[in-house]
Amino acid sequence: MTTVLTPAAPAPPAAPGRARRIARRVASPWTYAALIAILAGSAFPVYWSFVVSSQTTEAVGKVPPVLVPGGHLFENIARVFDETDFALALGNSLIVAGTITVSVVLFSTLAGFAFAKMRFRGRTALLLLVVATQAIPTELGVVPLYMMMADFGWAGQLQAVIVPGLVTAFGVFFMRQYFERALPLELLEAGRMDGCGSLRLFWHVALPAARPAAAVLGLFTFMQAWNDFFWPLVVLVPENPTVQTALSTLASGYTTDYTLVLTAATIGTVPVLIVFLLFGRQIVGGIMQGALKG
Amino acid sequence: MALTFAERRQKWDVKLSPFGFISPYFLIFGVFGLFPLLYTAFVSLQKRNLIDAEGAQFIGFGNYEQLLFHDPYFWNAMGNTVSLWLLTTIPQILFALGIAHLLNRRLRGRMFFRMGMILPNITSVAAVTIIFAQLFGRDFGLVNWVLSWFGAGQVDWQAGTASSHTAIAAMVVWRWTGYHALIFLASMQAIPSSMYEAATLDGAKGWQQFWRITVPLLRPQIIFSTVIATTGNMRLLAEPLLFNPGTAAATGGSDRQFQTAALYLYEQGFTKYDFGYSSAIALVLAVATMLVAGLSYLVTRRIQTD
């Protein structure tokens, strides 16, 4: 998955909050019924995957299908870890997504701060370059990137996934937008008067001020890195997988053991699900501001 | 007047620090982002195989000639790509508009519903495709079981062109509709209620108000969502690759019935190691995506605003 930038949407002027609230139509029972049906449709495949993971392999082949969880979840989880290298995949994904998240947040905050609050030659042109490059699909450069990784001797190794992910144009632009709004210049000037160098200014003034935005960026970066499929599939080998490439290997056996595969899929979804349950409000807010795309 | 050491240091600090701050980004992006993009064009003019790296030959536009004029598999893949683009993009936008419309009311548990809509979007494409492949299974799939209530026969979803495209489109639409719905909802909430009040006085009913007021006012978001969805849906790869996993996964079905252009790129580049040819496909696909995105921009721009 690539990150795409959404321009701040030019929304029509808002009416005063109170008037709007009174005028907005109250949801009818039909609205609730429709929304609950859609919600059920949204959640069903994830629920289904969980149902299969808690059943025996025989139960999955039944008609009519079993629709409620059974009691074999832990047994199946144990089987995933016994019969496959899924522990290695989980560890690898954690290393990859963790490193990428820390790095993207740090470098984006640094560059975003410079673009928003510092004056330097070529600033506008460089920022335009950052924005423009987001539109280009990563697939386009995948062959030369693979050739580079092979030359470096990194093919099949985690750094081949980590290093190209260490920065994102989206992150830079996102942090830049935040600093523009949230960090008053006076604060920085005061810091300068007190003799702060740029690095100290960044560390003691900008970084603490950036915390809310950095948290949202970190959240999204982690989910994206955890879910990334295409590039890891290309550059990694089945012996050293991430969760997503391990899933693809598992699913492509001659006879597919659906219980095993879907249990693994469920386990692989749990980390993002936890992040989602903890920070769903921020994620929804980010999307509704038109600022984020997973 | 000579500057003190501290003053001079501060001057250099102000001058050079910004470049220091942006350099990690530009260094990493330059090497691992921009360079490969540009180098693709060069590789696409070569006959180049991973196995025989020394034997790379410059062959000009040979790859393109082969691709565009002598390769039925490529045109098959392009046809599938366009078909899947239509089957995914249009329902995504229409469903998203409807869902946003439902969410744009005084609702109890607003956050709960919003989070529910976006749940599919946070799941990984690999997990989702594997789950859907199972749901769309021929013998024990849930979809066929439900269809059997209505007397429909057992559909072999992977076997046919139309059926496989439908199943793959279902995965994509499921995963992305909620995201677009939230984008639309944000703008709907900014539409002043006085516009609806005026319309009500003029006698416009709910449905008319939706098409005459809401949709036209959402034009910028609809354009944006359509273009974003187009660029994403023109390069579907994981879904067709994992829909029928197995030894021939990269061909997108036994008869290439759901092989997309991106999957063909993958097949040529990373199962046959024909890097020159694969790069040529990458560039042609990028150009085609820009054309289709431009087309969808022109179409959505025509939404009436009066």
Side-chain angles (χ1 to χ4, degrees):
Chain A
M1 265 187 313
T2 42
T3 312
V4 180
L5 184 84
T6 70
R18 217 167 68 90
R20 216 170 72 207
R21 189 158 306 159
I22 290 166
R24 187 170 305 149
R25 267 169 297 173
V26 181
S28 71
W30 288 112
T31 311
Y32 283 103
L35 282 174
I36 286 167
I38 296 165
L39 202 64
S42 283
F44 184 77
V46 179
Y47 169 77
W48 170 250
S49 165
F50 171 72
V51 168
V52 175
S53 349
S54 63
Q55 297 283 355
T56 60
T57 309
E58 292 75 49
V60 178
K62 274 194 188 134
V63 178
V66 192
L67 289 171
V68 287
H72 299 272
L73 179 64
F74 293 104
E75 195 179 299
N76 287 329
I77 293 175
R79 222 152 59 80
V80 169
F81 286 107
D82 285 345
E83 293 177 23
T84 73
D85 258 349
F86 213 65
L88 174 69
L90 278 170
N92 280 346
S93 277
L94 218 54
I95 294 170
V96 167
T99 317
I100 286 178
T101 303
V102 171
S103 158
V104 164
V105 169
L106 180 70
F107 289 146
S108 302
T109 314
L110 257 177
F113 175 61
F115 275 123
K117 297 291 168 188
M118 297 167 115
R119 303 270 165 270
F120 54 94
R121 194 179 275 271
R123 188 173 78 142
T124 318
L126 287 172
L127 187 63
L128 261 173
L129 182 68
V130 173
V131 175
T133 50
Q134 289 204 109
I136 304 167
T138 41
E139 283 84 348
L140 189 53
V142 84
V143 164
L145 193 60
Y146 183 86
M147 284 162 34
M148 285 168 72
M149 293 306 167
D151 279 350
F152 293 170
W154 288 2
Q157 297 181 34
L158 291 187
Q159 61 261 43
V161 179
I162 294 173
V163 175
L166 289 175
V167 296
T168 60
F170 167 74
V172 173
F173 190 74
F174 181 75
M175 292 313 295
R176 186 243 173 210
Q177 296 300 80
Y178 183 78
F179 277 126
E180 282 275 295
R181 274 184 290 124
L183 189 61
L185 266 177
E186 294 78 38
L187 208 61
L188 298 169
E189 275 157 15
R192 286 251 184 245
M193 299 292 266
D194 292 343
C196 262
S198 299
L199 208 56
R200 277 185 65 189
L201 219 52
F202 173 75
W203 196 255
H204 292 293
V205 182
L207 208 54
R211 275 213 331 241
V216 174
L217 178 63
L219 223 67
F220 267 77
T221 309
F222 181 85
M223 295 204 309
Q224 225 161 63
W226 184 272
N227 286 338
D228 194 17
F229 178 72
F230 182 49
W231 176 239
L233 175 78
V234 164
V235 81
L236 292 181
V237 286
E239 295 74 39
N240 190 31
T242 61
V243 166
Q244 312 305 333
T245 61
L247 284 179
S248 114
T249 310
L250 258 180
S252 55
Y254 280 97
T255 50
T256 310
D257 181 343
Y258 273 119
T259 318
L260 196 71
V261 176
L262 289 188
T263 306
T266 308
I267 301 171
T269 310
V270 166
V272 281
L273 219 54
I274 292 174
V275 170
F276 181 64
L277 289 176
L278 291 175
F279 303 102
R281 192 175 288 271
Q282 282 84 342
I283 293 167
V284 168
I287 291 169
M288 286 191 55
Q289 279 163 30
L292 297 165
K293 182 178 156 81
Chain B
M1 203 177 86
L3 295 165
T4 66
F5 175 67
E7 280 169 335
R8 213 173 315 159
R9 205 182 59 174
Q10 183 160 21
K11 205 179 134 201
W12 283 108
D13 175 46
V14 169
K15 215 170 184 166
L16 293 180
S17 294
F19 293 106
F21 284 12
I22 62 169
S23 61
Y25 171 78
F26 280 99
L27 267 176
I28 298 172
F29 172 73
V31 175
F32 297 100
L34 199 59
F35 172 73
L37 282 180
L38 301 175
Y39 200 64
T40 302
F42 176 68
V43 177
S44 77
L45 301 176
Q46 287 185 324
K47 188 172 172 58
R48 182 165 192 153
N49 196 295
L50 173 72
I51 315 295
D52 178 25
E54 303 300 310
Q57 285 175 317
F58 186 83
I59 53 165
F61 289 98
N63 285 323
Y64 292 97
E65 199 199 321
Q66 171 68 23
L67 188 67
L68 297 173
F69 302 113
H70 307 290
D71 188 349
Y73 288 163
F74 170 72
W75 289 108
N76 168 62
M78 280 311 280
N80 290 338
T81 303
V82 171
S83 156
L84 279 167
W85 164 66
L86 284 169
L87 283 173
T88 49
T89 308
I90 296 169
Q92 250 170 44
I93 301 299
L94 292 179
F95 289 155
L97 275 171
I99 292 173
H101 186 59
L102 288 173
L103 286 171
N104 189 28
R105 312 228 165 135
R106 283 173 62 192
L107 272 179
R108 278 172 197 284
R110 251 175 313 178
M111 193 38 83
F112 172 72
F113 283 115
R114 286 179 192 174
M115 279 174 66
M117 299 305 150
I118 205 69
L119 171 71
N121 195 235
I122 63 144
T123 53
S124 84
V125 64
V128 166
T129 310
I130 290 167
I131 295 168
F132 269 77
Q134 212 266 340
L135 289 171
F136 280 103
R138 188 189 59 189
D139 297 320
F140 309 112
L142 206 71
V143 177
N144 274 347
W145 176 62
V146 173
L147 285 178
S148 68
W149 301 346
F150 305 100
Q154 295 213 318
V155 181
D156 190 348
W157 291 96
Q158 288 161 349
T161 304
S163 59
S164 60
H165 289 201
T166 308
I168 292 171
M171 304 174 199
V172 179
V173 171
W174 177 78
R175 202 146 159 269
W176 284 101
T177 299
Y179 166 80
H180 294 294
L182 289 191
I183 297 256
F184 293 153
L185 175 64
S187 309
M188 277 186 192
Q189 300 205 322
I191 298 175
S193 56
S194 55
M195 300 201 67
Y196 292 107
E197 283 155 18
T200 309
L201 288 178
D202 289 343
K205 294 272 171 357
W207 198 236
Q208 277 177 314
Q209 291 187 5
F210 179 68
W211 286 112
R212 294 285 175 79
I213 300 175
T214 312
V215 171
L217 281 175
L218 288 187
R219 193 172 72 146
Q221 279 67 46
I222 294 174
I223 293 174
F224 169 74
S225 274
T226 309
V227 171
I228 287 292
T230 296
T231 51
N233 295 340
M234 284 290 286
R235 55 173 200 260
L236 297 180
L237 179 139
E239 292 89 347
L241 179 68
L242 289 172
F243 184 47
N244 182 23
T247 43
T251 55
S254 50
D255 204 18
R256 296 178 187 267
Q257 64 270 30
F258 50 91
Q259 185 178 46
T260 58
L263 191 55
Y264 191 49
L265 177 164
Y266 174 76
E267 186 197 358
Q268 290 298 324
F270 298 100
T271 66
K272 300 194 171 156
Y273 302 114
D274 191 340
F275 280 0
Y277 203 57
S278 183
S279 298
I281 299 171
L283 268 171
V284 173
L285 177 60
V287 171
T289 303
M290 279 192 288
L291 288 177
V292 175
L295 184 77
S296 36
Y297 169 77
L298 289 177
V299 170
T300 41
R301 214 181 51 154
R302 292 176 61 90
I303 295 170
Q304 284 189 346
T305 40
D306 52 25

